[in-house]
Amino acid sequence: MMQEQELLDFMQETAYKPMTYQELEQHFGIENAAEFKLFLKMLNQLEEEGKVIRTRNERYGVPERMNLLRGKVQAHAKGFAFLLPDEKDHPDVYIHANDQKSAMNGDIVLVRITSQSESGGRLEGEVVRIVQRAVVQVVGTFENHESFGFVIPDDKRINRDIFIARGEFQGAVTGQKVVARIVSYPEGRAAATGEIIEILGHKNDPGIDILSIIRKHQLPESFTDEVMAEAEAAPDSITEEEIIQQGRRDLRDEVIVTIDGEDAKDLDDAVHVKRLDNGNYLLGVHIADVGYYVTEKSELDQEAFRRGCSVYLVDRVIPMLPHRLSNGICSLNPQVDRLTLSCEMEFDAKTLKRVRHEVFTSVIKTKERMTYSNVRKLLTATEEEPETELKERYADLLDMFKLMEELAMKLRKKRMKRGAIDFDFQESKVIVDEQGKAVDIVKRERSVAEQIIEEFMLSANETVAEHFHWLRVPFLYRIHEDPDQEKLLHFMQFASNFGYVVKGKGNSVHPRALQTLLEEIHGTKEETVISTVMLRSMKQAKYDAECLGHFGLAAEFYTHFTSPIRRYPDLVIHRVIREVLENGGTLPEKRQEALAARMPDYAQHSSERERLAVDAERDTDRLKKCEYMLDKVGEEFNGIISSVTSFGMFVELDNTVEGLIRLSDLTDDYYHFHELHMVLIGERTSKVYRIGDEVKIRLARVNMEEYTMDFEMVDMKPRSGFKGVADAGFGAGRGAKKRGGFGRSGSEDRGRGGKRGGGGDRAKGGVGALAPAKGGKADRRGKGGKGAAGASGDAAKGKGGRGNNDFIALGMPGDERSGGRGKGVAEVNEARDEVNKNEGGKRRRRGAGAEGANGAAGAGAAAESSPWRKPAEPLEPGRRVRGGKSVPRVDMWGLPIREGSKSWGGDTGEDPRSERRDSRGSRSGGGGQGGRGRSGGARGGKGAGAGAAGSRGQAGGAGAAGGGRPKQEADGQLQEKNKQVSPDVNNSGAEGKTKKRKKKNGGGGGNATAAFVRKNRK
């Protein structure tokens, strides 16, 4: 019978052209009906799995030859997704939210490549067909809307709510955690529909939070009856007949111990160390022979495969095997006989080279069940803490523990020398009470005891991997591929910012170079930052059927052999090891082929289950840490910046809790993210925040829905106290709500400043107090502050506006060119008044100061010191100086421009109505340091000089030299006074009537050219 792989290989040949099933039948020479039936069945199955495509004209081919890719969807909470192709070497494909059809996270799909970057790096595609659904049920919070309901998924990668029809509620009420089965998937704008199949309980009930995470990741909670029946059938003890019959080596007289955590119950590894007569070390690692009890294709085996590994949540363990096995016959409990697989290694006393090794089946009886803490106390006992009681209890084992420490430290030193990378990150454990409530967070210690077991297990894993690699039998390896060259180059550039050089040839770096760097930075301030970025530049370790080496361990051969109770790959290779040993070091050909075909699937499935278990463990960890911090909102803590991003920085506290300080909460400056250096730099203060910096924070918010925490800096000063920025070009407002009212971010003529104004002077002088100028104009760029502009007198008190990029800050010091944030100084007012003395000075509403009529700039040191205080350009023909004559002006078509109060701002070409728009919102002053007045004119004093036109379009008030602030008076009274004191000035700067002219013939206002055309048309 033709094999599936044979057909696929044929279709992948270059010369192959899509064939019909009849043509394929002829090609493969299928003659009898039974074979033909099996062939069609296989063809249909391959089509369903997406491995083969059937075209419209009934021809068959493989997806990759039809510009299609098969793979798994990895969705993102923001809507987009990536395709992880089945082909190992193929790069990932980006899928836009609109190109996903109804695909969800984890689905197997076929994708068509739609675009590709020139370098061939980034690929974009669209989903053509969904081969297999991964998400069939969703866990979330139910919301009842009377005639219908919604389930809001806990998994943020499912970014659409599930619609529940009224008849499918099953008694669920708002706020309950439920499990919903998806009936129809989202298409276009239509939501997914579902039905509720299980109600877990209210989201605030004890235990429901962890249960929701278990359901979200679809972790199994119990074993089926068939599985439990098989587990119960396992014996409680082993017999002498079994040992003799299997030819196991008897190691029951050896001094063998287990070393585990205090609360561990599944003890699957034991060790012993001896000094041989020749001075060498003999290390024995003995692992429970779980494969002997869990036979291939049994119910136990299939359930273990589905689970992949044990999952260690905060308050419970979801085991891969039933407790009857994991805590019973397969656990190496003290003083009982247990069947094991052993790996003995002899190391040279001087070079630590492995001179001999042996892998065999055995039977052992452990002498003691040691804990990490007891071994640590025995080995680190001092005169102050002699640990006499422990030493007496374990007197016969003390010498062996010292020998273990000696060997382990030598093995570690050798491993580091060859280039293994050792990240020493702090881990923690959340302690919960009987109700599952988090009560404490304790740090996990990595003491000498943990290091002993770590080194011994690494040695055994490497030895077993190498041994079976050279036997050329199908095997599972733990691999860690070399880092991506682009990411590695990015990391090397990053490290060079701190003055560290990573050595390498061409584009490759040996792990030894990275470990050397870790040793160099040990104990320095930048240790955390460089270690973190290095870790992120590397790939994730995974399982594979090929031995591709382990970059992080600098090991050519590596596997997982030491934990068959809790990891399925270990169980698989235990079976292979025992089979090879029973068959004299090889496997039968058929068995070899069958195992070789299955190993890639075992590897991929185990890697996926491991990732899922890690995600579930992290979710429960984050959840309980948030719960622990819930009653500490408002408290202050010391922390270290653990990550810097474009939207803020993450800070880790001493108890390993991590929270985010958002960029918007850093109120003392505007910060920019520099990706290469991974830092935030303050615009004005040049303050730098980088990974590893110590900061003092306050816990601001805890979000129990998303398991996140928000921090804020302690003693953070508001940024409204700025004097300006080194890099101008802020637009007019960044959000009136948060930062005290810069109002809407306005384009010209439309901005409305908030009543509280941006930041600038409340100058005490009258408007244009020293300026006898006549005419002039107010420019409407940006938003004013709260006070009279152009006034002399005391330093500013208020907060000014924030100007526009396009400013002429003639009256401002060099560092205040953004329209004047912060407090002004007397120098500003003096310079401004000097400029206002010039005939025809024009004043900007946001920028302070003016341009002289004949290019004369403001006098004094302040004017000279600023690079922005350039002399004004001479007035062009047709520009009107207040009170002077003008040359007739023409527009772009050569038509004459009408003058008068109803033209668009007279000589400015701007709409006077926008003055009203501006004044209505901002009530802003004339100058950029803007004071509190409703307008320059309205706030004027009672002196002789004529002020500039006010922002409401009325005549500017005259200000007496050095006049004080006028009393608050009604607009009408102020206008009346202005009329009496000042000559008639209209808002175009021309002398004349202050009253508005009525429209003639329904037109004439606004656009002079349009009026001219209308007149001629009549």
Side-chain angles (χ1 to χ4, degrees):
M1 175 57 200
M2 180 181 49
Q3 294 294 321
E4 186 179 293
Q5 195 57 45
E6 189 184 343
L7 177 62
L8 292 174
D9 289 343
F10 171 64
M11 290 183 173
Q12 283 165 348
E13 288 176 9
T14 313
Y16 177 80
K17 289 182 180 178
M19 293 181 173
T20 62
Y21 72 88
Q22 293 97 334
E23 290 168 340
L24 287 167
E25 178 194 354
Q26 285 176 0
H27 175 82
F28 286 106
I30 298 169
E31 294 177 355
N32 64 51
E35 272 191 34
F36 179 66
K37 192 174 180 181
L38 287 170
F39 170 70
L40 280 185
K41 195 175 180 181
M42 181 177 71
L43 204 58
N44 288 335
Q45 188 181 346
L46 287 172
E47 188 191 346
E48 281 176 21
E49 292 172 359
K51 293 178 181 176
V52 165
I53 298 293
R54 184 175 59 176
T55 64
R56 291 175 186 172
N57 51 5
E58 300 295 324
R59 293 180 179 274
Y60 291 89
V62 286
E64 49 267 36
R65 298 291 306 280
M66 299 182 180
N67 194 31
L68 294 175
L69 260 182
R70 184 179 186 273
K72 181 176 282 192
V73 173
Q74 188 180 65
H76 193 277
K78 291 184 178 177
F80 60 85
F82 285 96
L83 179 83
L84 309 180
D86 289 349
E87 293 179 46
K88 285 184 184 177
D89 301 327
H90 200 288
D92 297 348
V93 181
Y94 172 81
I95 307 171
H96 189 272
N98 297 338
D99 297 328
Q100 291 174 27
K101 281 201 168 178
S102 63
M104 299 173 90
N105 186 58
D107 288 355
I108 304 294
V109 297
L110 292 174
V111 165
R112 178 178 287 114
I113 307 297
T114 54
S115 69
Q116 187 170 356
S117 63
E118 290 179 8
S119 61
R122 172 163 168 154
L123 299 171
E124 291 191 23
E126 61 181 3
V127 174
V128 174
R129 181 179 143 211
I130 291 152
V131 177
Q132 184 182 333
R133 292 282 183 188
V135 181
V136 291
Q137 61 183 45
V138 171
V139 178
T141 308
F142 181 72
E143 280 191 6
N144 188 345
H145 293 269
E146 292 187 6
S147 56
F148 60 89
F150 277 106
V151 173
I152 301 162
D154 286 350
D155 190 347
K156 299 305 171 191
R157 292 171 299 186
I158 303 173
N159 45 33
R160 295 194 192 184
D161 299 344
I162 312 298
F163 176 85
I164 309 292
R166 184 172 179 79
E168 307 294 342
F169 288 6
Q170 309 298 333
V173 297
T174 299
Q176 282 186 329
K177 288 282 183 185
V178 298
V179 182
R181 184 172 68 238
I182 297 178
V183 175
S184 66
Y185 289 84
E187 281 283 359
R189 294 188 178 184
T193 61
E195 58 185 13
I196 291 172
I197 56 173
E198 186 182 2
I199 298 169
L200 302 178
H202 196 274
K203 60 183 179 181
N204 296 331
D205 290 348
I208 297 300
D209 46 10
I210 298 284
L211 190 59
S212 299
I213 290 172
I214 290 170
R215 289 285 198 277
K216 170 185 163 184
H217 294 284
Q218 296 182 27
L219 299 173
E221 280 185 279
S222 58
F223 292 94
T224 61
D225 293 340
E226 293 82 4
V227 172
M228 290 306 294
E230 278 192 14
E232 291 296 330
D236 290 324
S237 59
I238 56 176
T239 61
E240 289 295 326
E241 289 78 18
E242 273 183 292
I243 298 166
I244 297 165
Q245 186 185 346
Q246 295 171 38
R248 291 181 180 262
R249 191 176 302 181
D250 194 340
L251 300 176
R252 286 176 285 187
D253 295 332
E254 294 286 349
V255 182
I256 299 173
V257 295
T258 59
I259 306 176
D260 287 276
E262 275 85 347
D263 51 356
K265 293 183 179 65
D266 50 347
L267 316 176
D268 51 10
D269 55 85
V271 292
H272 83 283
V273 175
K274 284 198 297 189
R275 177 85 73 175
L276 297 176
D277 296 337
N278 59 6
N280 290 351
Y281 298 99
L282 179 71
L283 167 63
V285 176
H286 314 280
I287 309 299
D289 191 357
V290 180
Y292 177 74
Y293 299 101
V294 182
T295 54
E296 194 172 2
K297 293 185 179 175
S298 64
E299 290 291 335
L300 274 167
D301 179 48
Q302 289 176 34
E303 182 65 24
F305 171 73
R306 281 192 290 271
R307 296 187 177 216
C309 58
S310 295
V311 185
Y312 294 85
L313 304 180
V314 169
D315 64 342
R316 71 193 77 181
V317 176
I318 298 174
M320 183 180 83
L321 296 171
H323 291 307
R324 176 87 170 77
L325 289 174
S326 62
N327 298 355
I329 193 68
C330 294
S331 183
L332 306 181
N333 299 325
Q335 301 297 333
V336 289
D337 294 350
R338 289 289 184 257
L339 302 181
T340 52
L341 278 179
S342 297
C343 176
E344 280 191 348
M345 298 153 278
E346 184 182 334
F347 294 97
D348 185 273
K350 292 180 181 177
T351 62
L352 261 294
K353 187 179 178 183
R354 191 178 66 235
V355 293
R356 181 184 66 82
H357 73 270
E358 195 177 357
V359 181
F360 53 90
T361 57
S362 59
V363 57
I364 67 166
K365 183 191 282 187
T366 58
K367 292 290 179 286
E368 282 290 348
R369 185 250 193 267
M370 301 298 297
T371 63
Y372 290 127
S373 58
N374 281 348
V375 174
R376 175 181 56 81
K377 287 173 185 175
L378 285 169
L379 294 174
T380 58
T382 58
E383 290 181 6
E384 291 82 16
E385 295 178 9
E387 303 293 349
T388 314
E389 189 183 331
L390 271 180
K391 284 184 177 179
E392 286 174 3
R393 184 177 166 189
Y394 301 117
D396 54 335
L397 299 173
L398 195 55
D399 290 339
M400 187 175 76
F401 290 139
K402 286 180 178 174
L403 193 63
M404 281 182 177
E405 182 184 14
E406 184 184 315
L407 175 59
M409 292 306 111
K410 285 183 178 179
L411 286 171
R412 179 179 169 78
K413 188 178 178 182
K414 185 190 175 192
R415 188 164 60 87
M416 292 300 147
K417 192 175 179 182
R418 82 180 180 202
I421 302 168
D422 186 35
F423 293 106
D424 193 11
F425 290 115
Q426 186 68 58
E427 293 183 5
S428 64
K429 183 181 180 182
V430 182
I431 308 297
V432 293
D433 61 15
E434 292 173 0
Q435 279 76 40
K437 192 173 188 297
V439 291
D440 196 10
I441 299 172
V442 294
K443 290 183 180 179
R444 290 183 195 268
E445 282 192 71
R446 192 182 175 207
S447 68
V448 64
E450 279 90 350
Q451 288 179 15
I452 287 171
I453 293 300
E454 191 178 304
E455 293 304 324
F456 291 174
M457 297 305 127
L458 286 172
S459 296
N461 285 335
E462 287 180 41
T463 303
V464 169
E466 185 176 359
H467 181 85
F468 287 90
H469 173 73
W470 294 120
L471 285 179
R472 306 289 184 203
V473 293
F475 215 64
L476 280 181
Y477 299 93
R478 181 72 170 175
I479 66 163
H480 184 214
E481 295 163 293
D482 290 359
D484 181 67
Q485 290 180 3
E486 191 179 333
K487 286 185 177 179
L488 200 58
L489 187 65
H490 185 276
F491 167 70
M492 290 163 76
Q493 289 173 339
F494 176 74
S496 67
N497 294 324
F498 295 89
Y500 296 101
V501 178
V502 181
K503 295 175 184 176
K505 289 182 180 178
N507 291 326
S508 64
V509 170
H510 192 273
R512 174 71 200 136
L514 298 177
Q515 179 57 29
T516 305
L517 175 61
L518 288 176
E519 288 166 6
E520 277 184 55
I521 62 174
H522 184 67
T524 62
K525 189 179 178 184
E526 56 267 16
E527 180 181 8
T528 312
V529 50
I530 294 177
S531 301
T532 306
V533 178
M534 184 192 291
L535 185 63
R536 287 174 186 166
S537 69
M538 293 183 185
K539 293 184 178 177
Q540 287 181 336
K542 61 181 182 182
Y543 296 102
D544 203 287
E546 293 177 43
C547 186
L548 303 175
H550 199 292
F551 181 82
L553 293 171
E556 191 178 351
F557 310 99
Y558 194 68
T559 189
H560 272 173
F561 159 73
T562 55
S563 296
I565 288 179
R566 59 187 181 88
R567 290 192 302 233
Y568 191 74
D570 302 53
L571 181 57
V572 169
I573 68 169
H574 270 233
R575 285 207 200 101
V576 174
I577 289 169
R578 207 171 64 257
E579 229 174 304
V580 169
L581 293 174
E582 286 169 359
N583 286 285
T586 184
L587 286 172
E589 192 178 337
K590 280 191 175 180
R591 180 66 177 155
Q592 179 112 357
E593 285 177 9
L595 278 174
R598 283 209 294 270
M599 286 299 172
D601 292 336
Y602 285 155
Q604 186 181 349
H605 179 76
S606 298
S607 298
E608 287 169 4
R609 295 302 298 176
E610 181 191 37
R611 290 304 320 149
L612 188 121
V614 169
D615 288 344
E617 287 164 18
R618 280 182 184 162
D619 277 358
T620 55
D621 207 45
R622 285 164 52 213
L623 164 73
K624 289 302 175 185
K625 282 181 177 178
C626 285
E627 187 179 84
Y628 175 71
M629 298 296 284
L630 201 55
D631 59 351
K632 294 167 180 61
V633 173
E635 291 183 24
E636 295 178 4
F637 302 90
N638 291 316
I640 291 176
I641 298 172
S642 58
S643 179
V644 177
T645 67
S646 57
F647 52 85
M649 56 192 176
F650 289 92
V651 175
E652 188 177 299
L653 308 185
D654 291 338
N655 59 6
T656 71
V657 166
E658 195 174 55
L660 172 67
I661 299 179
R662 299 179 188 278
L663 215 58
S664 54
D665 291 335
L666 295 173
T667 55
D668 65 334
D669 204 340
Y670 290 99
Y671 287 87
H672 296 277
F673 175 58
H674 290 247
E675 188 175 4
L676 183 62
H677 299 164
M678 294 278 285
V679 294
L680 288 172
I681 301 181
E683 198 175 89
R684 175 185 68 94
T685 57
S686 296
K687 191 171 183 179
V688 177
Y689 289 113
R690 60 161 55 89
I691 302 177
D693 287 354
E694 292 182 8
V695 289
K696 189 167 187 181
I697 60 92
R698 183 184 299 108
L699 179 59
R701 290 172 292 278
V702 177
N703 185 340
M704 290 303 292
E705 298 290 323
E706 297 181 10
Y707 321 140
T708 58
M709 279 171 271
D710 284 355
F711 295 158
E712 59 189 18
M713 287 286 190
V714 173
D715 302 328
M716 179 63 66
K717 295 176 182 176
R719 62 171 77 96
S720 57
F722 282 10
K723 280 221 169 183
V725 289
D727 211 10
F730 279 92
R734 285 211 188 182
K737 290 182 183 177
K738 287 187 182 173
R739 295 187 187 130
F742 291 114
R744 299 179 193 168
S745 53
S747 54
E748 294 185 10
D749 294 344
R750 291 187 190 170
R752 301 186 181 186
K755 283 194 174 183
R756 283 181 52 208
D761 319 38
R762 269 161 64 180
K764 289 195 176 178
V767 176
L770 300 177
K774 298 177 182 179
K777 72 174 196 243
D779 189 298
R780 289 162 224 57
R781 303 210 178 196
K783 306 165 191 104
K786 279 191 178 175
S792 71
D794 297 288
K797 293 179 183 174
K799 297 177 180 178
R802 289 168 63 210
N804 163 310
N805 245 347
D806 183 23
F807 38 71
I808 305 173
L810 290 168
M812 300 172 67
D815 65 342
E816 294 213 14
R817 63 187 197 278
S818 69
R821 287 184 268 147
K823 297 178 181 178
V825 285
E827 171 195 3
V828 181
N829 294 326
E830 288 164 14
R832 190 190 294 136
D833 292 333
E834 279 295 315
V835 176
N836 284 344
K837 285 179 187 176
N838 293 312
E839 187 70 22
K842 97 179 171 183
R843 193 179 317 134
R844 291 200 177 247
R845 173 179 270 178
R846 293 310 305 251
E851 290 183 354
N854 298 309
E864 290 170 10
S865 66
S866 173
W868 294 279
R869 297 179 190 172
K870 297 177 182 176
E873 298 293 331
L875 289 171
E876 28 184 268
R879 291 294 283 270
R880 183 189 296 275
V881 176
R882 195 173 287 190
K885 297 180 180 178
S886 65
V887 184
R889 297 181 66 200
V890 293
D891 64 13
M892 60 187 288
W893 292 286
L895 299 171
I897 294 174
R898 286 176 58 192
E899 301 292 335
S901 62
K902 282 306 286 183
S903 69
W904 292 80
D907 63 329
T908 65
E910 294 175 356
D911 183 0
R913 290 174 296 185
S914 66
E915 289 272 352
R916 297 188 176 191
R917 280 202 302 271
D918 283 349
S919 64
R920 203 165 51 236
S922 68
R923 308 173 77 173
S924 56
Q929 290 291 89
R932 279 194 179 266
R934 284 192 174 81
S935 67
R939 279 279 185 194
K942 299 182 182 178
S951 68
R952 286 190 182 264
Q954 76 269 24
R965 273 177 76 200
K967 294 177 183 176
Q968 294 283 347
E969 295 175 279
D971 279 358
Q973 292 171 316
L974 282 168
Q975 285 189 13
E976 201 59 35
K977 288 186 180 181
N978 288 339
K979 282 183 193 175
Q980 293 167 14
V981 179
S982 62
D984 287 340
V985 182
N986 62 26
N987 66 348
S988 68
E991 290 184 19
K993 296 177 183 178
T994 56
K995 292 181 181 179
K996 296 178 185 175
R997 295 180 184 175
K998 292 181 181 177
K999 288 186 181 180
K1000 293 181 181 178
N1001 300 324
N1007 192 325
T1009 306
F1012 181 86
V1013 172
R1014 279 199 298 274
K1015 183 178 177 185
N1016 288 347
R1017 193 186 295 137
K1018 287 179 183 177

